[in-house]
Amino acid sequence: MDERIKLLKKYFGYDDFREGQEELTGSILNGTDTLGIMPTGAGKSICFQIPALLLEGITLVISPLISLMKDQVSTLNQAGIHAAFLNSSLTAGQYRLALSYAKEGRYKIIYVAPERLITEEFLEFALNTRISMVSVDEAHCVSQWGQDFRPSYLKIVEFLDRLPVRPVLSAFTATATREVIEDIIRILRLKAPTVKVTGFDRKNLYFAVETPKDKFEALKNYMQDYKDQSGIIYCLTRKVVEEVCDRLNREGVPVTRYHAGLSDAERKTNQEDFIYDRKPIMVATNAFGMGIDKSNVRFVIHYNMPKNIESYYQEAGRAGRDGESAFCILLYSGQDVITNQFFIENNNDNEELDPETLKAVKERDRERLKKMTFYCFTNECLRDYILRYFGEYGTNYCGNCSNCLTQFEESDVTDISMKLIGCVSQSRQRYGMGVIVDTVHGNKTAKLRQYHMDENEFYGSLAKEAVYRLRQVLNYLVLEDYLFLTNEEYSILKLTDKSWEVLEGKKEIIMKLAKEREISKKEKVKKSGLKKAAEKDARKTGNGKQNYEEADEVLFELLRKLRSDIAKEEKIPPYIVFSDKTLLELCLHMPLSEEDMLSISGIGRFKYDKYGERFMEAIKEYKEKAETD
């Protein structure tokens, strides 16, 4: 048997590699620089952890966040692999002790923050230690075109240049456009690397965009159904985090909060409350989440629209890491665009960049915001829109997003389009979308009078049309290049060659508009986890018992309680004991022997020795009770 498969089974409990893992681990073990682009939950970590166990020396994993390192190291130690992290959360004494243990060869894998790499103490260790591999996690952070550029990542190359022998270099990320991939290869100086893109699709995630009049009311309705599940609610600002968290608390939702304005102590406490399921729902800014490998997150709701598709997909991807069904809802409003525009123009994160580069970065950020906004207005498949952004092309129908589950009807919007484009032309292409919509709708505002837009030929020409419909059509015209929205600080609508086809009556504009939404889509999302898998197993095995789901639901909760008790005893997050997916398989197959237990996905030898007997005893007691009942 392949030595890699033996280790995969022993430490992680899996019988086979997932897509891309075999090629990537093989490339590293052959001494070839390697770049893996794999979606969240696809098993990137295993791609460098398995080779690390087989290589003779130490593997350094460069990671951007303390929380990410702690989570990864805790998971490895629980699986029986000796690992450590080196970052600012350690005292000077703890740091020196960890380094001394590393020198003695106690650890095969060491996680380190990029800022630590070229410090005198760490360099002294690195120069006198056999380092077989350096693996760069969240590799998109090295690119100024990435959604999360970190200048500290540029220290990686300086560190590598100082080593007496260059180790094999591997890099991994979940979200990267072609431009970012090329940047990673160039900046890290990967030598003729193996590049593997396994695809960006997360089929288990349901995507939806909603534009509710009252966002909190919409959120509250979701919480009535899902407050016993683990989830993340993302907000754009600290103020909104505070407001949403306070209001949900008053509604009795078990929620906590996370943003950069809190003290280190409170952020740490709140994060642990979320990870340990004491407060299963987290309300946070985008400061939260990178590296949080919490497998049982069942939903991610964006209370505000993020500034780009990369950020949205990375944050939404924190749902359903166990492969089970989860849902991702974006609650959109026009104010979200304005807030993001303000952030882009006042961004101080990239102060180290020269003025010309900073200007280019802002231009790129505006373009990304535009594409994020289009996502909120498209009537096409939402999943396909995201995948096309990353260079993948599908069928434009996934059957698992709000647009694919909505009935549309084609509507002739030529007259509306002519008046909107005519208004842009008459105003000499000087204004943005808000002014144009207000003008054709005939709004009586001081701004319109100041701009003399109440004298525009098209003022009030579409007064009978709903404002939301006018915005829909205007966004469609921009999306289809009948108008162009500039990337300036204040975006302006401009005419295109296609504009004149409409104005001259040569082009008919047919647009898909929602007719009605299927009420059943919410139920589709809700039927996840145990129930969905139980149905699938029942169909496969021919089990026709009507109480099959109900009975296993009881066992599932019993095993969750046992997992929680063990987690409290060992002071670790419950999902590190076993994932929800592993509990699910235990419910479906009810193993009562060592052989059967080891056949369950996610249970390796180490975890069986630690927990196997207790879970088998719980299953045995449940079965005996069920038989007597």
Side-chain angles (χ1 to χ4, degrees):
M1 181 189 289
D2 188 328
E3 196 64 32
R4 291 173 297 168
I5 296 294
K6 289 180 183 177
L7 294 175
L8 187 68
K9 181 60 180 174
K10 178 181 179 181
Y11 292 113
F12 303 102
Y14 303 128
D15 295 315
D16 297 297
F17 282 122
R18 295 163 75 176
E19 184 184 357
Q21 290 179 335
E22 185 171 13
E23 181 179 344
L24 290 164
T25 55
S27 172
I28 292 169
L29 290 170
N30 285 336
T32 304
D33 285 356
T34 301
L35 173 59
I37 316 296
M38 306 168 74
T40 303
K44 291 185 294 294
S45 298
I46 280 176
C47 293
F48 57 79
Q49 288 167 352
I50 290 289
L53 296 174
L54 292 168
L55 294 169
E56 290 187 18
I58 287 174
T59 287
L60 296 181
V61 180
I62 298 166
S63 185
L65 292 179
I66 289 171
S67 58
L68 187 154
M69 297 186 212
K70 287 182 174 178
D71 196 76
Q72 292 273 348
V73 169
S74 179
T75 301
L76 286 170
N77 287 331
Q78 282 300 117
I81 297 169
H82 296 298
F85 58 79
L86 300 170
N87 57 44
S88 60
S89 71
L90 301 176
T91 64
Q94 289 172 328
Y95 186 83
R96 282 193 292 272
L97 182 63
L99 270 183
S100 68
Y101 284 165
K103 289 175 184 175
E104 293 171 11
R106 295 198 189 189
Y107 307 123
K108 288 293 290 180
I109 303 174
I110 298 174
Y111 284 75
V112 60
E115 296 84 357
R116 293 268 159 181
L117 291 173
I118 56 174
T119 60
E120 186 177 339
E121 196 170 13
F122 187 79
L123 273 173
E124 191 275 328
F125 156 73
L127 293 173
N128 295 284
T129 304
R130 182 171 182 181
I131 298 172
S132 299
M133 174 170 61
V134 171
S135 189
V136 183
D137 203 6
E138 307 292 347
H140 61 271
C141 294
V142 81
S143 171
Q144 69 186 29
W145 304 119
Q147 76 274 18
D148 196 24
F149 172 59
R150 293 172 183 259
S152 60
Y153 260 55
L154 300 178
K155 299 179 188 294
I156 295 171
V157 175
E158 183 181 345
F159 170 72
L160 290 169
D161 285 344
R162 295 203 188 187
L163 296 178
V165 178
R166 183 188 184 277
V168 64
L169 193 58
S170 62
F172 297 90
T173 183
T175 52
T177 59
R178 170 50 55 188
E179 187 172 33
V180 172
I181 290 172
E182 291 171 355
D183 240 9
I184 293 169
I185 294 170
R186 179 180 58 82
I187 294 170
L188 291 179
R189 298 183 201 160
L190 299 180
K191 296 179 178 178
T194 298
V195 180
K196 179 68 176 178
V197 181
T198 62
F200 295 93
D201 193 6
R202 296 280 306 286
K203 291 183 172 61
N204 61 313
L205 300 184
Y206 167 86
F207 291 97
V209 176
E210 298 178 7
T211 55
K213 291 181 179 177
D214 186 331
K215 282 191 179 184
F216 186 78
E217 193 63 29
L219 180 65
K220 191 171 76 172
N221 289 337
Y222 276 110
M223 292 304 99
Q224 288 173 357
D225 289 330
Y226 300 106
K227 66 181 179 183
D228 60 335
Q229 303 281 345
S230 182
I232 305 172
I233 301 164
Y234 279 110
C235 305
L236 266 182
T237 66
R238 301 174 189 180
K239 181 182 177 183
V240 177
V241 167
E242 295 288 344
E243 290 174 356
V244 170
C245 188
D246 287 345
R247 292 181 72 179
L248 287 177
N249 265 318
R250 291 198 293 271
E251 294 290 336
V253 178
V255 66
T256 187
R257 60 184 180 164
Y258 191 104
H259 59 70
L262 303 176
S263 67
D264 289 345
E266 185 176 351
R267 282 203 304 273
K268 182 174 183 291
T269 298
N270 294 352
Q271 180 171 303
E272 288 182 352
D273 282 347
F274 172 70
I275 288 173
Y276 287 84
D277 283 335
R278 294 189 288 265
K279 298 280 184 70
I281 298 172
M282 174 65 79
V283 184
T285 61
N286 64 2
F288 176 80
M290 184 184 283
I292 301 298
D293 191 14
K294 193 172 194 286
S295 61
N296 66 331
V297 174
R298 295 270 65 86
F299 65 84
V300 170
I301 295 176
H302 278 80
Y303 199 75
N304 307 104
M305 181 190 76
K307 63 181 180 179
N308 53 53
I309 292 289
E310 290 94 335
S311 296
Y312 176 67
Y313 202 45
Q314 185 178 60
E315 290 159 13
R318 287 163 191 151
R321 292 179 68 114
D322 55 7
E324 295 303 306
S325 295
F327 66 94
C328 309
I329 311 293
L330 197 165
L331 304 178
Y332 172 84
S333 73
Q335 183 61 41
D336 298 339
V337 180
I338 296 169
T339 304
N340 276 306
Q341 285 172 332
F342 176 83
F343 286 158
I344 290 170
E345 300 311 323
N346 296 276
N347 179 16
N348 297 316
D349 292 341
N350 295 323
E351 290 179 333
E352 296 181 28
L353 301 179
D354 62 79
E356 278 302 307
T357 305
L358 187 59
K359 181 180 177 183
V361 168
K362 285 189 176 183
E363 177 78 9
R364 179 59 55 86
D365 285 346
R366 295 186 197 110
E367 180 65 22
R368 285 175 169 166
L369 176 59
K370 191 193 300 185
K371 289 178 179 176
M372 182 73 244
T373 307
F374 289 162
Y375 171 82
C376 298
F377 285 95
T378 183
N379 289 332
E380 304 301 318
C381 172
L382 293 174
R383 185 184 312 278
D384 196 63
Y385 184 98
I386 293 171
L387 296 180
R388 275 188 281 119
Y389 181 86
F390 291 111
E392 290 185 15
Y393 297 88
T395 61
N396 202 26
Y397 179 84
C398 73
N400 195 28
C401 76
S402 57
N403 282 358
C404 287
L405 295 175
T406 298
Q407 292 183 1
F408 289 98
E409 58 185 356
E410 290 192 337
S411 181
D412 188 332
V413 293
T414 307
D415 182 61
I416 296 175
S417 299
M418 288 180 73
K419 289 171 180 174
L420 286 168
I421 295 172
C423 185
V424 172
S425 178
Q426 283 270 313
S427 62
R428 290 182 286 179
Q429 307 174 64
R430 289 184 296 176
Y431 303 112
M433 298 177 80
V435 170
I436 297 302
V437 169
D438 286 350
T439 300
V440 295
H441 198 251
N443 291 358
K444 295 176 171 51
T445 65
K447 181 189 282 188
L448 292 189
R449 289 194 297 274
Q450 179 188 341
Y451 295 160
H452 299 287
M453 290 298 283
D454 54 342
E455 301 168 15
N456 188 289
E457 177 187 338
F458 295 92
Y459 177 78
S461 61
L462 295 171
K464 293 182 180 179
E465 296 288 343
V467 170
Y468 81 89
R469 182 68 81 208
L470 295 176
R471 287 191 173 277
Q472 277 185 322
V473 176
L474 192 53
N475 274 286
Y476 178 77
L477 293 174
V478 175
L479 191 62
E480 297 297 320
D481 294 324
Y482 290 104
L483 287 169
F484 174 74
L485 192 64
T486 68
N487 286 333
E488 299 162 350
E489 182 174 348
Y490 301 102
S491 298
I492 306 298
L493 284 167
K494 300 287 186 182
L495 301 179
T496 70
D497 291 341
K498 292 175 72 173
S499 303
W500 301 106
E501 296 178 24
V502 180
L503 290 176
E504 293 168 6
K506 296 178 180 178
K507 183 69 178 179
E508 192 177 42
I509 306 294
I510 306 296
M511 179 180 169
K512 285 200 314 183
L513 296 172
K515 187 165 67 174
E516 63 178 274
R517 291 190 178 275
E518 293 185 8
I519 297 172
S520 62
K521 80 173 190 296
K522 190 173 179 182
E523 289 304 309
K524 173 184 174 63
V525 176
K526 196 173 178 181
K527 187 183 287 185
S528 61
L530 178 68
K531 291 184 178 180
K532 187 174 178 183
E535 287 178 352
K536 183 178 178 182
D537 192 72
R539 287 194 300 270
K540 191 163 60 177
T541 60
N543 189 330
K545 293 181 183 177
Q546 289 188 355
N547 66 346
Y548 185 86
E549 276 189 35
E550 183 182 345
D552 280 352
E553 193 77 55
V554 174
L555 176 58
F556 187 72
E557 292 305 317
L558 284 173
L559 297 185
R560 279 183 68 185
K561 174 69 168 57
L562 174 58
R563 180 180 66 176
S564 180
D565 291 344
I566 292 172
K568 286 174 184 175
E569 292 168 15
E570 300 193 2
K571 297 181 180 178
I572 58 174
Y575 64 87
I576 287 182
V577 178
F578 286 138
S579 69
D580 276 6
K581 188 170 185 178
T582 298
L583 293 190
L584 189 59
E585 287 205 26
L586 289 172
C587 289
L588 294 175
H589 303 294
M590 298 187 188
L592 294 176
S593 69
E594 177 180 329
E595 182 183 355
D596 290 343
M597 195 77 170
L598 286 170
S599 71
I600 300 295
S601 178
I603 302 181
R605 168 57 60 184
F606 189 83
K607 285 198 173 183
Y608 171 79
D609 290 341
K610 285 189 77 173
Y611 311 126
E613 290 294 336
R614 292 179 70 174
F615 277 87
M616 284 195 293
E617 186 60 33
I619 292 167
K620 183 180 178 184
E621 288 180 10
Y622 169 78
K623 289 185 77 172
E624 288 174 352
K625 186 175 184 299
E627 286 169 6
T628 56
D629 290 347

